[in-house]
Amino acid sequence: MQAAPTPVGGRTVLLIVCGGIAAYKTLELIRLLTRAGLRVRTVLTAAGKQFVTPLSLQALTGEKVYEDLFSLTDENEMGHIALSRSGDLLVVCPATADIMARMAAGLADDLASTLLLATDKPVLIAPAMNVRMWDHAATQANLATLRARGVMVVGPEIGLMACNETGPGRLAEPPAIAEAIFRHLAEPAIPGPLAGRHALVTAGPTHEPIDPVRYLANRSSGRQGYEVAQALAALGARVTLVSGPVDLPPPTGVTLHRVETARQMLAACRDALPCDIAVCAAAVADWHVAAEATRKIKKTAGALPPALTLVPNPDILADLSTPGPNRPALVVGFAAETDTVEQHAAAKRLAKGCDWIVANDVRPETGIMGGMENEIILITGDGAEQWPRMGKQDVATHLAERIAAFFTPDFSSGRSIS
Ligand code: C5P
């Protein structure tokens, strides 16, 4: 479990548990929150009660569990308006398609929906549902409405679900939800130049399946992207990190979405919008296999090896850079080049439509790809800047500071790059 980034103890979370197979994971979430010193009050919907019992919630929180809108006892103890404002944060977990629709429509026909309508506190939801329900235009419209009203969203993750379908819809893991809660509650304690900004970072390679056991990949370690995510969070940004398969611990205070393929990475990035900043540090595979075999491809003695037909992957950087209402104010791409680095990178900046390019020389003799150090040229609309060779963490820190200065021209860390 990740530690809370700054002390959050003594604060109260009002946790609304809705009906869904994933509701059992809420028990683990409560343990993570109470261990960090948070007080957790729970509200259990009628459907939620089919999956977890009031007794489990009461045992883990040490608090009364609220269930009914019209309970005289509850009204004597605390009215629903007071209850809705009694926490520092309202969390809906799991957030079903149904509660999202009712929140978006402003319904108030049970205790949970009434609290969500009456509250003056921030709200965070952790959606979980079948992939088709998640992808449905109605759910996506409700999600956009809720986001536009300032509701924070963690997940869902992409993966195999209880219904045996695969795709986005699986509840984010409890540590990721806890991190988002800690992050929000800690925010006032760490006002940085990027406080109130949402940054999206991609990192790592992608794996493009050939069959259930084989895939196409590259040597990216993900280190530079993870450092950038951490550095942006340290300056106060709310950070969503969309990562391909890597062997790195999740950065503290960052919401992490793990994906495998480029197509999943694009979907997770689009889900994370709107954001103010996008930094695409992932080494996205350029192609995927046209027809992924559903069974392991057998080698047959004497037969020719199978021919793989490759088709281009979506370009996530170009997609995020496309002008439109959701385009981040600042989009930063990376360019790994092996010759005429600056010219190629400058051309890439224009071709992809991004604002800045962080270019590096990845000839094997530089040791940059997969290594701890980096030597970059930052290309902006104003020209190119060569930075000296430094650790990837320092590159990330300086880049985050440059990003902060883009939004707050007065911002200066007082540190020089050389
Ligand atoms: O085209 P190239 O791979 O050289 O571009 C590198 C930049 O574009 C990086 O920022 C990388 O994260 C991004 N990219 C992407 N989606 C792709 C290919 C590259 O976001 N399919």
Side-chain angles (χ1 to χ4, degrees):
M1 183 217 148
Q2 299 277 311
T6 55
V8 292
R11 320 284 292 278
T12 301
V13 167
L14 186 62
L15 177 64
I16 298 175
V17 183
C18 298
I21 306 268
Y24 74 94
K25 289 192 183 173
T26 310
L27 302 179
E28 171 65 9
L29 176 65
I30 294 171
R31 289 166 66 91
L32 296 175
L33 300 181
T34 52
R35 260 193 239 153
L38 288 172
R39 180 176 182 192
V40 182
R41 276 205 176 111
T42 50
V43 174
L44 186 59
T45 66
K49 211 171 164 178
Q50 303 296 319
F51 297 91
V52 289
T53 67
L55 195 58
S56 317
L57 296 177
Q58 193 185 335
L60 284 174
T61 60
E63 301 262 351
K64 172 182 166 52
V65 179
Y66 296 87
E67 294 178 56
D68 299 319
L69 182 55
F70 300 109
S71 157
L72 278 181
T73 341
D74 290 356
E75 286 297 328
N76 282 341
E77 285 172 10
M78 187 186 309
H80 56 266
I81 305 293
L83 182 61
S84 78
R85 297 171 189 179
S86 66
D88 298 285
L89 175 69
L90 265 70
V91 175
V92 186
C93 177
T96 56
D98 179 68
I99 193 78
M100 287 174 62
R102 291 193 295 136
M103 285 169 77
L107 296 188
D109 54 358
D110 68 356
L111 183 59
S113 53
T114 304
L115 296 176
L116 287 159
L117 195 62
T119 190
D120 59 357
K121 296 291 191 275
V123 177
L124 181 148
I125 63 172
M129 65 197 73
N130 167 273
V131 56
R132 284 178 193 275
M133 293 170 77
W134 175 255
D135 282 341
H136 197 287
T139 305
Q140 289 303 309
N142 292 333
L143 177 71
T145 302
L146 296 176
R147 276 208 168 110
R149 289 183 197 148
V151 171
M152 293 168 276
V153 184
V154 187
E157 285 193 356
I158 296 165
L160 183 67
M161 283 173 285
C163 52
N164 248 338
E165 287 186 50
T166 304
R170 204 170 68 172
L171 184 71
E173 288 303 319
I177 303 170
E179 279 291 326
I181 293 170
F182 297 152
R183 172 97 204 120
H184 172 79
L185 293 177
E187 249 165 25
I190 48 163
L194 291 175
R197 307 269 176 203
H198 179 205
L200 168 66
V201 179
T202 69
T206 60
H207 285 184
E208 309 296 335
I210 296 170
D211 67 17
V213 296
R214 303 181 179 99
Y215 55 84
L216 299 174
N218 61 60
R219 294 186 196 283
S220 166
S221 65
R223 207 166 278 132
Q224 187 64 79
Y226 273 53
E227 294 290 2
V228 170
Q230 186 77 83
L232 290 168
L235 293 186
R238 178 166 70 83
V239 180
T240 303
L241 173 61
V242 179
S243 171
V246 295
D247 192 14
L248 294 172
T252 310
V254 164
T255 303
L256 174 66
H257 296 283
R258 294 180 207 271
V259 296
E260 290 219 341
T261 67
R263 288 158 288 166
Q264 290 169 350
M265 188 172 271
L266 175 65
C269 286
R270 285 185 176 163
D271 282 348
L273 297 176
C275 64
D276 305 285
I277 306 150
V279 180
C280 293
V284 183
D286 289 315
W287 307 280
H288 66 270
V289 176
E292 179 191 336
T294 51
R295 293 178 179 209
K296 185 179 172 192
I297 302 170
K298 295 282 180 206
K299 53 176 185 277
T300 316
L304 285 174
L308 293 181
T309 304
L310 302 179
V311 289
N313 267 332
D315 192 309
I316 299 161
L317 175 60
D319 188 88
L320 294 173
S321 300
T322 306
N326 263 344
R327 188 197 190 277
L330 182 65
V331 183
V332 183
F334 274 67
E337 305 289 349
T338 51
D339 57 284
T340 49
V341 176
E342 187 181 324
Q343 289 87 327
H344 277 134
K348 193 164 288 181
R349 188 180 82 86
L350 297 177
K352 306 250 186 182
C354 61
D355 303 297
W356 299 355
I357 284 268
V358 178
N360 48 22
D361 184 343
V362 291
R363 279 171 304 152
E365 57 269 33
T366 64
I368 285 173
M369 193 94 174
M372 300 298 284
E373 292 197 326
N374 207 349
E375 189 175 330
I376 68 126
I377 303 175
L378 178 65
I379 297 172
T380 69
D382 296 332
E385 266 174 47
Q386 171 83 52
W387 291 8
R389 193 176 176 106
M390 58 180 102
K392 287 186 174 172
Q393 189 175 8
D394 290 330
V395 170
T397 304
H398 288 301
L399 183 64
E401 286 170 355
R402 285 295 296 263
I403 291 172
F406 171 87
F407 288 98
T408 316
D410 292 345
F411 169 75
S412 162
S413 67
R415 230 190 323 249
S416 79
I417 286 180
S418 53

